Amino acid sequence: MAETEKLGDSVRAVDRALEILLAFTATDYELTVGQLLKRVDLSRPTLYRLLYTLEQRGFVVSEGDPQKFRLGPAVGQLAHVWTSSLDLSALAAPLMEKLQEQTGETVALFVLEGGDRLCIAELPSAQPLSFKRGIGYRERISVGASGRAILAHIGANDEERRRYAAERGVDVANPVEDLDMVKRRGYAVSKDELIQGAVAIAAPFFDRSGQVAGSLGVFGPSARLHADRIRQFGEMLIQEAAVLSRTLGKRESL
């Protein structure tokens, strides 16, 4: 009985320690004890005891007056191991298949590489009239829906977007769509922009730090993708891109 109780205490301690680590977010990466107490259901002595243990093992570090805690190098080590094991195209495959089944159109996955987006996975439409670009296709993030869906979420404002683009030789002086509007709406749209008669809709996905990592897009002919379908597919893309973001470790904003 005593051994069982001891095991139960150990499991609870692990659970509480994990609760502390998960209290940190990309926007709240430094927290005082008072702020942590509002996020975890622990007494102050218990919180201090667990923080001390986590700090000893490198999972949190602290500094300042008042004392503030943030995640430590041991978390980064685990994150590196986890990220190295990821196959993004494999992770995205089920939701891409779902989108293709729902839309009947070509579905593609892009990742951000500097000032470009790179297609790393594509499921071509089976319909006779369809559009595809192919795995390995690369284009600037300032052009096309799948690029602007990414560009709209770079930085906190237009000035930061322009700085990012300028450093990579990308011209964003006159975007086809208002990027702030794209960000608010959640998806970007392009018509006849790169291919005459083609419509593209794309939504961004994010990595575990909350930074935009790429986009998920649907491509088809304007004869089929009228305004109502564009809105419908846009909402689908937002939902599936959010699933991919969560799979990559992005936490919902508190």
Side-chain angles (χ1 to χ4, degrees):
M1 180 68 72
E3 187 173 335
T4 301
E5 290 178 354
K6 185 176 180 181
L7 179 61
D9 290 340
S10 298
V11 171
R12 280 194 295 275
V14 172
D15 185 64
R16 289 167 173 175
L18 292 174
E19 190 178 356
I20 292 170
L21 295 176
L22 291 172
F24 295 90
T25 68
T27 53
D28 294 322
Y29 57 89
E30 284 189 330
L31 296 171
T32 64
V33 167
Q35 289 170 323
L36 281 167
L37 285 170
K38 293 178 181 178
R39 300 181 178 214
V40 297
D41 186 19
L42 298 172
S43 67
R44 186 176 290 266
T46 300
L47 177 58
Y48 269 114
R49 187 165 58 250
L50 289 170
L51 283 170
Y52 174 77
T53 301
L54 289 170
E55 191 165 18
Q56 290 293 106
R57 301 303 297 269
F59 284 93
V60 298
V61 293
S62 64
E63 62 181 7
D65 185 17
Q67 188 178 31
K68 288 186 177 181
F69 293 86
R70 65 177 186 273
L71 296 179
V75 174
Q77 181 182 352
L78 292 179
H80 175 70
V81 173
W82 178 69
T83 302
S84 299
S85 70
L86 289 180
D87 181 343
L88 184 55
S89 58
L91 289 175
L95 57 91
M96 290 179 68
E97 291 168 2
K98 178 181 176 182
L99 281 168
Q100 188 191 49
E101 182 179 343
Q102 291 176 331
T103 65
E105 306 294 348
T106 296
V107 179
L109 180 71
F110 294 84
V111 293
L112 174 63
E113 283 198 352
D116 297 337
R117 90 285 195 154
L118 173 69
C119 180
I120 63 168
E122 184 177 77
L123 296 179
S125 171
Q127 303 195 61
L129 177 58
S130 61
F131 297 95
K132 61 182 181 178
R133 305 313 297 267
I135 295 173
Y137 170 73
R138 181 186 294 271
E139 184 55 87
R140 293 162 296 157
I141 55 174
S142 57
V143 182
S146 56
R148 285 194 299 277
I150 298 171
L151 180 59
H153 288 80
I154 288 176
N157 51 49
D158 193 51
E159 182 181 346
E160 291 187 12
R161 285 188 210 116
R162 290 178 185 277
R163 188 184 311 120
Y164 179 94
E167 289 172 352
R168 291 157 180 80
V170 177
D171 182 14
V172 293
N174 298 297
V176 175
E177 292 180 283
D178 178 85
L179 295 174
D180 287 329
M181 182 272 292
V182 170
K183 189 172 183 177
R184 289 192 300 271
R185 185 175 61 194
Y187 62 91
V189 179
S190 63
K191 300 177 182 179
D192 304 319
E193 193 172 337
L194 291 169
I195 302 176
Q196 190 65 31
V199 175
I201 312 111
F205 63 89
F206 303 86
D207 62 21
R208 61 184 177 82
S209 68
Q211 301 297 310
V212 64
S215 64
L216 190 61
V218 168
F219 307 88
S222 55
R224 288 197 299 266
L225 272 64
H226 47 73
D228 288 343
R229 278 204 163 180
I230 289 173
R231 285 191 293 271
Q232 179 186 4
F233 291 176
E235 292 301 320
M236 291 179 183
L237 284 164
I238 290 173
Q239 293 177 14
E240 298 307 324
V243 172
L244 181 56
S245 296
R246 289 194 294 272
T247 301
L248 293 175
K250 181 181 182 293
R251 298 187 64 209
E252 298 297 329
S253 300
L254 295 178

